[in-house]
Every structure is written in structure tokens, then in C-alpha cells.
Amino acid sequence: MSGKLKFYSEKLAGYKKFYQIVSTIKRVALSKYQAGVARTKTRDYTLRYSKKAFDHVYEGKEEADLCRQFSTTYVPIGTNRGNCGPLNSANYKYLNTIRDEDPKAIDILPIGKKGHDSIPKIFPEYYKMSCINDDKQAKSLVWANYVMEYVEMDSDKERLQIIYNRYVSAGVQTLKSMNLPSFDAFCEAVAAASENEPAEGSNYRFFNAILDMEEDDVKDFFNFHRTLCMLYCVSENELSEHAARIIAVEGQLTNIAQLRDESQMLFNKTRQGAITTALIEILSAMTAMADAQKGSGIVKDNFWETA
């Protein structure tokens, strides 16, 4: 009986310690989530000019057709840690569908430690390099600019697609992608759009304003908004990571609490059984001694002696 009590006691202590560790992980993720969720109020507003500049280049075209027509660099943004639900696996499934479309030429440059660990094994023929951030500082334009320079340095493809998870709510994150053209393709698309007759809801004046700029200014405009798009995608994926981790950890806490309660019940039951057995032995001995004093039952001076 003492062996069982020790076993359940150690098991219960382990569950309690594990519960404290997972609770700490949840509190850290929750603090990061609360810091990042405030940006969702203005997240789409910051890209209003970036979308005007880039959306029309590949508007109305399916990804299956684009990957066969243009050489493409895919930048899947993953997570740096686990406990994030299906965020990373969604990236791998999407890239797998691209591979099945027989693309023209592709490179895969993942961002995040999980992508760095998995993509070279899943897509070794397309993997180029990885970019990892320790997440100790908030994402900024400096970080996004570094990533874009790294992408430009290691790839000569005609198109860039950023794959990320967009935050919808604490329990819902959806896989999204953002297509960014090369500078030459951007200039061609702007020139073509500026030749069309102005219509209601068109960006005719916007494109003509770009054409009136010097080439260096257009290049700066192009680089700035590509960097802004990268910052947007990285920030969205980071927020989705924290939200997914909170949900995953909450499920873990529920399971650990259930196992802890079951172990506590077994420990209490075993302990109560040991106490009851000991009391029965003591009461039996006292009853036997009382009967002996009355002249009935087994006669012996001490209950531990044999009759």
C-alpha cells in the first residue's frame, strides 16, 4: 500500500508542476497577444496605398496559372515555437499544392524557426535559405527591410508571394497570401493602367502621379511599400501565433487539470484505504484484548504474541 501511495504522490506532484509551467506559457502568450491585438484596428488602413500599387498587377488571376507563368519566390512565414495548432502545417499544405501544379521555377525562403526546421526536409529541391527572428523585440520596418533585402539578394525570380496567417479572432486564423511584383513588372503595370480612361473607382490619377516621379523616387516608393507589406504579413502571423498558442495551451491546461484531479482522487482513495485497513487492525486487536480480559476469546497478555 505504501508503494502505491508513493507512486500516486509523485504522479500528482508532477502534474501540479507541469500545470504551473503551462500556465506560465499561457500568461506570456496572453501578454504578447494583448500587445499585438491593438494594431488590428488600423491594420488594413496602413496598406491602402500598397494595395493600390500592387493589387492590379495580378488581379483576377489564379495562383495555379501564375506559378506556371512566372518564376516565383515563396516566403512562408512560420512560427518560432510550437503549440500553435495548424499554422505551420497549413503553410506546408499550400506549398505542396503549388508543387503539384508543375510551376515554372520556384524558390522557398521560409521565415521562422519551425519553417527552417521542416521546409528543407519537405521541399529540399526548392529550399534556398531561412530567416529567423528571436522575437525578443517588436517587429519594425527595420526588420521587414532586412527580410526584403535578404529575399532580393538570394532570388532572381519574377514574382514574390508572402504566405502568412491572418488573425480573425482568438480562435480563428486563416491562411492568406500577398503577391508582390518585381520592379519591372510594377512599372509596366503602372504604365498600362495610366493609359486607360479614368473611370469611377479607378486609380488612374494615382498611377499617373507615380509616372510623374523620378525613377529613383519610384524605386523608393516601390521598395517602401514592399517592405510595408512584409511588415504587415509578419505582424499578422505573429499575432496569429500568439492567439493559436493561447487556444492550444488552454486545451493542454484542461487535460492536465483532468489528469491531476484523477490522480488526486486515486491518491485520496488509496490513502483512505490504507488508513481504514490500519484502523481495522487496531480495533480488531483492541477487541480481542477486551474479550480476553472478560474471559472469553483468545487469552494472551499482549496482542502481538501468538496464542
Side-chain angles (χ1 to χ4, degrees):
M1 190 66 70
S2 61
K4 285 187 177 181
L5 278 175
K6 183 179 180 181
F7 170 75
Y8 288 129
S9 177
E10 292 176 351
K11 192 175 182 180
L12 183 60
Y15 283 135
K16 289 181 178 179
K17 185 176 181 180
F18 191 28
Y19 188 89
Q20 292 176 351
I21 293 172
V22 177
S23 297
T24 302
I25 295 174
K26 179 185 176 181
R27 287 193 292 269
V28 172
L30 185 60
S31 64
K32 293 181 177 180
Y33 168 78
Q34 291 173 340
V37 75
R39 62 171 293 277
T40 59
K41 298 178 181 179
T42 59
R43 60 182 175 179
D44 294 326
Y45 184 74
T46 58
L47 288 185
R48 61 192 187 281
Y49 291 117
S50 302
K51 290 182 177 180
K52 285 183 180 181
F54 299 138
D55 282 358
H56 71 287
V57 180
Y58 304 114
E59 188 175 6
K61 298 180 180 179
E62 297 292 333
E63 180 58 31
D65 298 327
L66 290 174
C67 71
R68 288 192 291 263
Q69 183 179 357
F70 302 100
S71 58
T72 308
T73 298
Y74 291 94
V75 182
I77 304 176
T79 64
N80 272 0
R81 297 173 182 84
N83 286 336
C84 296
L87 295 189
N88 294 306
S89 60
N91 288 346
Y92 309 149
K93 290 179 181 178
Y94 177 79
L95 291 172
N96 197 48
T97 60
I98 298 299
R99 180 170 59 181
D100 294 340
E101 294 293 340
D102 191 20
K104 179 180 178 180
I106 66 174
D107 289 337
I108 301 179
L109 288 79
I111 297 177
K113 187 177 184 303
K114 289 298 180 181
H116 170 72
D117 294 339
S118 301
I119 286 182
K121 302 175 184 177
I122 303 174
F123 308 98
E125 66 276 25
Y126 302 126
Y127 172 74
K128 292 284 289 185
M129 294 179 65
S130 303
C131 192
I132 301 175
N133 188 295
D134 59 7
D135 285 339
K136 292 183 178 179
Q137 295 179 348
K139 302 298 188 298
S140 64
L141 275 174
V142 176
W143 159 249
N145 185 64
Y146 165 75
V147 174
M148 292 307 300
E149 288 180 353
Y150 143 83
V151 171
E152 294 292 341
M153 177 181 64
D154 290 303
S155 181
D156 55 355
K157 299 299 185 287
E158 301 170 285
R159 185 173 68 104
L160 171 68
Q161 184 179 94
I162 307 172
I163 306 167
Y164 67 100
N165 288 276
R166 178 179 168 88
Y167 170 82
V168 178
S169 65
V172 181
Q173 300 83 37
T174 58
L175 186 69
K176 295 290 184 180
S177 62
M178 185 176 293
N179 290 309
L180 302 179
S182 63
F183 181 68
D184 293 337
F186 168 73
C187 292
E188 292 175 4
V190 169
S194 64
E195 295 174 356
N196 297 329
E197 292 295 328
E200 185 179 355
S202 69
N203 296 319
Y204 172 81
R205 294 182 179 179
F206 175 75
F207 294 128
N208 275 278
I210 294 176
L211 288 177
D212 291 338
M213 299 164 60
E214 297 292 335
E215 183 177 356
D216 291 341
D217 294 335
V218 176
K219 185 69 173 178
D220 290 340
F221 174 88
F222 173 79
N223 289 332
F224 172 77
H225 284 282
R226 274 168 58 103
T227 302
L228 194 62
C229 289
M230 176 60 72
L231 177 62
Y232 170 86
C233 295
V234 170
S235 299
E236 279 291 315
N237 201 84
E238 184 181 31
L239 180 58
S240 297
E241 176 181 352
H242 297 322
R245 181 170 292 115
I246 291 173
I247 299 301
V249 170
E250 186 65 36
Q252 291 179 359
L253 286 175
T254 302
N255 294 334
I256 296 169
Q258 183 179 357
L259 293 172
R260 181 195 60 192
D261 294 341
E262 291 177 357
S263 298
Q264 183 71 60
M265 181 186 66
L266 290 173
F267 174 79
N268 293 340
K269 184 177 180 181
T270 304
R271 181 171 175 270
Q272 187 64 41
I275 295 173
T276 302
T277 301
L279 289 176
I280 290 174
E281 292 176 353
I282 294 173
L283 291 174
S284 298
M286 292 179 64
T287 302
M289 291 178 65
D291 292 341
Q293 291 177 356
K294 294 178 182 179
S296 62
I298 300 174
V299 179
K300 55 182 179 178
D301 297 331
N302 300 305
F303 70 87
W304 59 83
E305 294 178 350
T306 58

